[in-house]
Amino acid sequence: MPHDIVVGIDGSTEGLAAAHWAAQEAQRRGTGLGVIHVWHRHARPAPYVPMDSTEREWAEQLLGEAVRSVRAAHPGLRITGRLVCDATVAGLLEAAADTDLLVLGSRGLGPVGGFLTGSVSQRVVGRSARPVVLVRAGRSAADEHLPATDGVAPEEIPQTPYRQVVLGLQTDRPCDELIEFAFDAARRRGTGLSVVHAFRTAFRPAPVPSVPLVSAAPEGPAPVPWPQAQALADQERTVAAVLRPWREKYPAVPVTETVTEGRAAVVLVRAAQDAGLLVVGRRGLDHQVGVFTGPVTHAVLHHVGCPVAVVPHD
């Protein structure tokens, strides 16, 4: 398709939220938007199709409503709609094959405040050769920006600073595609990039004595044990080295680095609480399993409320 961004819609509120997010991203990139609805014929009419309509007519209506909604909100954007008759996952993957980005909706917030990711979106994320962004239901343009002061009109929201972009970074095999996606997203938004790296060590602190020791020293924060402090310093130097060429390539992007010992999924979920976008990676494909997003990516997709970009890499 002659578009850099494609969004898949299905008539749901989350699909429409994804379409509007994709339109905003297309405007930031100066490109067009392709709105895709994948449908397929059933042996018997699907129960959600009205009695006076065929499946194709219903699909055309859903697509037309989504395109009209996005055009009304983004009148200067080049938008085209396309119906694809195919299995849902296969149709979405084919539509995204020649694009820079595929955007999908999630099923909204779960009881722990994150995605209820459907089987379609999980399979697409696990198989797509292109970056995929998941947007939850109820997400609006204002959510990408920092809270506006009282009295700001809706049309003034775009002038409010963007929330920061958060990148989950691995240092054992850093990926250029992943890092560049995050830096570019921050640059286009004119906001900062928070790079988060979590690591685990084999060090475990000694057990606390059952009888407290009496000391005349003043109370204060406990010192970090030497092995743990050394591991932290090593990881900080590694992260700084990985990011150095990207800081030079994107000098206008303010970068903060957070290196901490802990579980990567827990650290990233906490870091993304106030983010506008979280960027994580997914390594290759497991051809025996067919779908594999990795434990960290799987966790953040279920527990993070902001849009999540999953960038595949080797």
Side-chain angles (χ1 to χ4, degrees), residues 33 48-49 67 87 114-115 148 159 167 223-224 228 236 242 248 306:
L33 174 67
Y48 52 79
V49 177
V67 170
F115 286 110
Q159 280 69 52
L167 166 64
V224 178
Q228 191 175 14
E236 288 175 340
V242 169
E248 295 172 355
C306 71

Side-chain angles (χ1 to χ4, degrees), residues 82-102:
R82 178 186 172 193
L83 279 181
V84 176
C85 184
D86 200 346
T88 305
V89 174
L92 289 170
L93 291 175
E94 180 184 3
D98 296 326
T99 66
D100 287 340
L101 186 67
L102 172 64

Side-chain angles (χ1 to χ4, degrees), residues 167-172 194-200 231-232 234-236 238-239 256-264 267-268 271:
L167 166 64
L169 179 68
Q170 288 182 296
T171 58
D172 54 344
S194 175
V195 181
V196 179
H197 172 62
F199 67 98
R200 303 300 297 270
L232 177 61
D234 291 343
Q235 293 291 332
E236 288 175 340
T238 300
V239 168
T256 58
E257 302 169 13
T258 301
V259 180
T260 184
E261 200 277 341
R263 293 177 55 195
V267 173
L268 281 177

Side-chain angles (χ1 to χ4, degrees), residues 119-181:
S119 60
V120 169
S121 56
Q122 286 213 53
R123 283 182 286 164
V124 171
V125 167
R127 296 176 182 175
S128 176
R130 311 303 304 158
V132 180
V133 174
L134 292 186
V135 181
R136 68 173 175 85
R139 198 76 185 175
S140 68
D143 294 318
E144 288 202 80
H145 299 264
L146 294 172
T149 58
D150 293 339
V152 174
E155 61 270 16
E156 295 177 306
I157 289 176
Q159 280 69 52
T160 305
Y162 276 92
R163 295 178 184 271
Q164 68 178 355
V165 175
V166 175
L167 166 64
L169 179 68
Q170 288 182 296
T171 58
D172 54 344
R173 291 168 60 189
C175 167
D176 288 348
E177 296 91 341
L178 174 66
I179 300 173
E180 185 161 29
F181 187 101

Side-chain angles (χ1 to χ4, degrees), residues 39-96:
W39 69 287
H40 57 279
R41 296 182 177 88
H42 297 82
R44 297 180 179 180
Y48 52 79
V49 177
M51 294 289 292
D52 59 348
S53 178
T54 66
E55 288 185 311
R56 181 179 179 86
E57 290 172 341
W58 181 242
E60 290 174 343
Q61 180 178 335
L62 294 180
L63 178 62
E65 290 175 351
V67 170
R68 286 192 293 273
S69 176
V70 176
R71 280 180 176 159
H74 307 274
L77 184 63
R78 175 170 52 89
I79 303 171
T80 59
R82 178 186 172 193
L83 279 181
V84 176
C85 184
D86 200 346
T88 305
V89 174
L92 289 170
L93 291 175
E94 180 184 3

